[in-house]
Amino acid sequence: MTPVFLRRLADALTLARALLGLPLIFALAEGKQSLAWVLLLLGGLSDWADGWLARRAGGGSSWGAQLDPLSDKILLLAPLLWLAEQQKLPLWTLWLLLGRELLITGWRQGQADGGAASWLGKAKTMLLFCSLLLMLWPTAWLSTQLVNSIHGVGWCLFWPSLVLAVNSALGYLKASSSP
C-alpha cells in the first residue's frame, strides 16, 4: 500500500471516530449500554489504528494531525457528559477536563506542526479510554456485583487520568513559554 493511501485511510478513521460521538451520546441517553460500550471501544481502537497507519506511511497528514486530537475530545466528552449528568462523576471534573482540552486546542493552533501530543497527553487519553470503558461496562453482561466492581475500577482509574490531564496541560504550557 502506498503512503498516500495509508494517510487517507488514517484520516478516514480519524473522521469516523469524530462522528462516533453523536451516536454514542444517543445510545447512552437511550439506555443502550452495550451499543455505547461498543462504539467507545471502536473509537479507541480507531485511535490506535489511525496512528499505526500514519506511522507506516512515514507520518500522517497535517489535516489528520489537527483532526486526531479533536476526534479524541469529541469521543471522550460524550460519555463524560453522560457520567456527569448521571452524577457518577463530579461536574467539576468535566469542567476541568473541558478547560484543559480548550487550552491545549488553543495552544495547538499556534503550533506550525499542529502541536504533537506529549507522552503524558497520550497516557492520559489511553487511561481515560480504559476508565470510561470500565465505567460504562453494560450491566446486562455480568452479575450486578461483578459489574459494580468493574465500574469501581473504572472510577478509580479516572482519577489518575485527571491528574495526567492536568500535568500534561502544565507541560504544554511550560513548553510554550520556553525560548
Side-chain angles (χ1 to χ4, degrees):
M1 289 188 234
T2 68
V4 171
F5 176 76
L6 292 174
R7 281 187 196 101
R8 286 187 181 149
L9 188 54
D11 288 348
L13 283 173
T14 300
L15 182 59
R17 185 168 65 259
L19 297 175
L20 281 177
L22 191 58
L24 175 56
I25 197 76
F26 282 141
L28 288 167
E30 294 295 319
K32 298 180 180 186
Q33 291 178 301
S34 297
L35 176 60
W37 192 89
V38 168
L39 290 172
L40 184 60
L41 178 64
L42 288 174
L45 292 174
S46 76
D47 190 26
W48 171 82
D50 70 35
W52 182 81
L53 287 167
R55 285 187 296 280
R56 292 226 4 166
S61 69
S62 60
W63 184 81
Q66 294 205 352
L67 184 61
D68 185 72
L70 179 61
S71 295
D72 290 345
K73 288 168 187 46
I74 292 168
L75 187 66
L76 292 172
L77 284 174
L80 286 168
L81 283 166
W82 184 81
L83 286 165
E85 190 272 330
Q86 296 292 307
Q87 299 180 346
K88 295 181 182 202
L89 283 177
L91 188 57
W92 67 265
T93 62
L94 179 65
W95 286 112
L96 183 62
L97 285 170
L98 184 58
R100 182 248 185 229
E101 298 306 334
L102 291 171
L103 179 72
I104 301 309
T105 299
W107 174 80
R108 281 193 167 112
Q109 293 299 316
Q111 304 299 308
D113 64 352
S118 69
W119 71 270
L120 275 178
K122 289 180 181 188
K124 177 269 308 177
T125 300
M126 187 170 62
L127 189 57
L128 188 54
F129 263 122
C130 292
S131 168
L132 290 172
L133 281 169
L134 293 172
M135 283 194 283
L136 296 176
W137 190 272
T139 54
W141 289 2
L142 299 168
S143 72
T144 302
Q145 184 178 2
L146 196 50
V147 169
N148 287 341
S149 295
I150 291 169
H151 289 173
V153 171
W155 192 83
C156 289
L157 288 177
F158 172 78
W159 299 103
S161 75
L162 188 64
V163 169
L164 286 174
V166 171
N167 284 334
S168 67
L170 294 173
Y172 288 122
L173 291 174
K174 185 178 176 184
S176 69
S177 65
S178 298

